Amino acid sequence: EVIRMKEDEEKMGSGEKQEQDNAENNIISDLNARLAQISNELATKTLEHEKAMKNLEKKHREEVIRMKEDEEKMGSGEKQEQDNAENNIISDLNARLAQISNE
């Protein structure tokens, strides 16, 4: 685009060059505005992602603590069932964590 604009500029007169410069400056301004908008959107998404990750990690820690407390109160058969339930919860949390990371 810049090369094309320079080639076009060489073919123009002074008034046309000024118009072309103005058009180029408008394009650059529009692109800079769009870049700023995208940067703000990215920053917002990053903050939302970090917040979601912290919440998920907090829930995971709370769930692990709760499961350990429950495990201390159970017998052997119940512990196996609890282990299975815990593994399912951990798998679900890990899947959600992966999903959030991909977003």
Side-chain angles (χ1 to χ4, degrees):
E1 183 68 17
V2 171
I3 292 171
R4 184 193 61 73
M5 289 189 293
K6 285 185 179 182
E7 290 170 351
D8 290 347
E9 192 175 281
E10 291 172 1
K11 300 174 189 173
M12 297 180 199
S14 177
E16 291 174 314
K17 283 185 181 179
Q18 185 59 47
E19 287 181 26
Q20 183 67 24
D21 287 346
N22 291 343
E24 291 172 5
N25 287 336
N26 289 340
I27 290 170
I28 290 169
S29 293
D30 290 346
L31 290 173
N32 283 333
R34 181 65 182 132
L35 179 60
Q37 179 185 4
I38 290 169
S39 294
N40 287 338
E41 290 171 2
L42 179 59
T44 299
K45 290 289 183 187
T46 299
L47 289 174
E48 290 171 356
H49 179 264
E50 289 173 358
K51 183 178 178 182
M53 292 291 286
K54 286 179 182 177
N55 286 338
L56 189 58
E57 289 170 0
K58 180 182 176 188
K59 287 180 183 178
H60 182 262
R61 284 190 303 272
E62 291 170 353
E63 189 65 20
V64 168
I65 291 168
R66 187 196 60 76
M67 289 187 293
K68 286 182 180 179
E69 290 170 350
D70 289 349
E71 190 175 280
E72 292 171 359
K73 301 174 187 173
M74 295 182 193
S76 177
E78 291 174 316
K79 283 186 180 177
Q80 184 60 47
E81 287 179 25
Q82 182 66 22
D83 286 347
N84 292 341
E86 289 171 4
N87 287 335
N88 290 339
I89 290 169
I90 290 169
S91 294
D92 291 345
L93 290 171
N94 283 333
R96 179 66 181 131
L97 183 62
Q99 179 185 1
I100 290 171
S101 293
N102 288 333
E103 292 173 359

